[in-house]
Amino acid sequence: MKKFLIVGNWKMNLNVHEASILVKRLDDHIKINRNVEVVLAPNFLVLQPIVREIDKRKFKLAAQNAYFVDEGAYTGEVSFSMLRNLVDYCLIGHSERRIYFNESLEMIRDKVAAAVRNNIKPILCVGETSQEKQDNETKRVLHDQVTTALANLTKEEVNQVVIAYEPVWAISTFGGSKPAKPSDIKLAIDWIRQILSELYGYSVSKDQTVIYGASVEAEFVSDILSLEGVDGLLPGAASLNYKQFSQIIDATTKVKI
Ligand code: PGA
């Protein structure tokens, strides 16, 4: 049976105390399941205390960002080498980082390489804005984002990257109210796999973990995860609510593939 990856992106929410309460509630409501890997992505401050609180058989941790240089005069930054052994994953290139913090394609490429160098799996977020969608630019945008982000990896390293298709226009904080249509998700994810196949060959493309994020809620889980080539989900808002997040996990365990 297929193993799905579900990543809760908490964004800039929850202080240490609130995060600890959420983890306890999630622990009560989520069972260990061999077919679902559950990853929580809290803010930096929460990562260190939470690593001691989580049941590691149930939850893994992701950072939401990090800097590509290992140490030095970069006031305010946290490096991937500092996150080594603390997290398994790190979100890279989330649209909020690209849009609010002007992260360029090249910076994202360097972050992806730094994560892999430090034994942290990048969760590379890619996706078009509503303007780019209107202009029929989705394929070009995904092509540019995927090819540059992976450019400094070897073929063997590419499979350590999780690619998350997150259409910006469907993300709740950018005004999205429901996920992209399954047919649109399928088109985008097939395209991502085609790009990978052309660059690195069919077997890399087939083995790549590709997930979907944007306005994910439990009611949509089965339709999205039943699509061929979709390996998991990246809920944001719904991951802050223990009922909603555990319902998403529950719905995932019921998907038959
Ligand atoms: P959302 O966020 O589920 O609240 O739309 C997803 C994301 O931004 O990763």
Side-chain angles (χ1 to χ4, degrees), residues 217-232:
E217 288 184 34
E219 62 180 297
F220 306 113
V221 167
S222 152
D223 284 350
I224 301 175
L225 291 184
S226 305
L227 296 168
E228 199 193 327
V230 182
D231 302 317

Side-chain angles (χ1 to χ4, degrees), residues 92-105 108 124-127 141 144-146 148-149 168:
I92 298 180
H94 189 280
S95 51
E96 287 150 16
R97 302 244 21 118
R98 294 180 195 258
I99 293 167
Y100 302 144
F101 300 97
N102 299 317
E103 286 199 5
S104 65
L105 294 173
I108 290 162
L124 169 69
C125 303
V126 297
V141 169
D144 288 355
Q145 292 178 341
V146 170
T148 31
V168 180

Side-chain angles (χ1 to χ4, degrees), residues 217-256:
E217 288 184 34
E219 62 180 297
F220 306 113
V221 167
S222 152
D223 284 350
I224 301 175
L225 291 184
S226 305
L227 296 168
E228 199 193 327
V230 182
D231 302 317
L233 299 165
L234 176 47
S239 71
L240 292 168
N241 178 302
Y242 77 91
K243 277 196 190 137
Q244 286 182 31
F245 193 62
S246 42
Q247 280 165 4
I248 288 172
I249 309 295
D250 197 44
T252 303
T253 63
K254 293 183 176 133
V255 176
K256 297 269 176 295

Side-chain angles (χ1 to χ4, degrees), residues 7-11 91 94-96 125 164 166-168 170-174 176-178 212-217 234-239:
V7 185
N9 177 10
W10 293 359
K11 307 196 179 185
L91 300 179
H94 189 280
S95 51
E96 287 150 16
C125 303
E166 294 215 306
V168 180
I171 293 178
S172 69
T173 42
F174 285 112
S177 56
K178 54 179 182 342
Y212 168 82
S215 292
V216 169
E217 288 184 34
L234 176 47
S239 71

Side-chain angles (χ1 to χ4, degrees), residues 152-193:
N152 286 356
L153 302 185
T154 64
K155 186 176 164 178
E156 289 67 38
E157 289 168 336
V158 167
N159 269 163
Q160 295 173 38
V161 180
V162 173
I163 301 183
Y165 172 56
E166 294 215 306
V168 180
W169 48 272
I171 293 178
S172 69
T173 42
F174 285 112
S177 56
K178 54 179 182 342
K181 288 197 297 249
S183 53
D184 287 340
I185 298 173
K186 174 98 176 87
L187 276 178
I189 288 186
D190 283 353
W191 174 240
I192 290 169
R193 289 195 191 277

Side-chain angles (χ1 to χ4, degrees), residues 39-244:
V39 180
L40 308 175
N43 65 61
F44 282 134
L45 273 182
V46 167
L47 276 176
Q48 187 82 56
I50 250 184
V51 79
R52 281 179 244 116
E53 291 178 25
I54 53 169
D55 179 342
K56 301 202 175 48
R57 295 165 306 167
K58 282 190 194 174
F59 304 108
K60 296 217 160 97
L61 291 176
Q64 297 175 13
N65 176 41
Y67 196 57
F68 56 85
V69 178
D70 285 348
E71 62 178 9
Y74 298 95
T75 302
E77 292 298 302
V78 171
S79 70
F80 287 98
S81 74
M82 292 166 179
L83 295 170
R84 230 187 145 99
N85 302 325
L86 186 61
V87 299
D88 287 289
Y89 294 91
C90 183
L91 300 179
I92 298 180
H94 189 280
S95 51
E96 287 150 16
R97 302 244 21 118
R98 294 180 195 258
I99 293 167
Y100 302 144
F101 300 97
N102 299 317
E103 286 199 5
S104 65
L105 294 173
E106 292 72 27
M107 180 181 271
I108 290 162
R109 174 198 64 201
D110 292 346
K111 289 185 174 195
V112 167
V116 169
R117 192 174 71 233
N118 283 290
N119 233 345
I120 294 169
K121 291 189 195 120
I123 301 174
L124 169 69
C125 303
V126 297
E128 78 286 7
T129 63
S130 60
Q131 188 61 51
E132 289 161 345
K133 181 177 159 65
Q134 267 176 44
D135 297 344
N136 269 324
E137 295 267 20
T138 302
K139 280 189 157 188
R140 184 197 56 78
V141 169
L142 292 177
H143 189 272
D144 288 355
Q145 292 178 341
V146 170
T147 51
T148 31
L150 304 179
N152 286 356
L153 302 185
T154 64
K155 186 176 164 178
E156 289 67 38
E157 289 168 336
V158 167
N159 269 163
Q160 295 173 38
V161 180
V162 173
I163 301 183
Y165 172 56
E166 294 215 306
V168 180
W169 48 272
I171 293 178
S172 69
T173 42
F174 285 112
S177 56
K178 54 179 182 342
K181 288 197 297 249
S183 53
D184 287 340
I185 298 173
K186 174 98 176 87
L187 276 178
I189 288 186
D190 283 353
W191 174 240
I192 290 169
R193 289 195 191 277
Q194 191 179 325
I195 297 167
L196 294 170
S197 183
E198 277 160 19
L199 287 172
Y200 306 102
Y202 173 70
S203 80
V204 170
S205 158
K206 176 176 65 65
D207 291 343
Q208 196 81 27
T209 304
V210 186
I211 65 177
Y212 168 82
S215 292
V216 169
E217 288 184 34
E219 62 180 297
F220 306 113
V221 167
S222 152
D223 284 350
I224 301 175
L225 291 184
S226 305
L227 296 168
E228 199 193 327
V230 182
D231 302 317
L233 299 165
L234 176 47
S239 71
L240 292 168
N241 178 302
Y242 77 91
K243 277 196 190 137
Q244 286 182 31

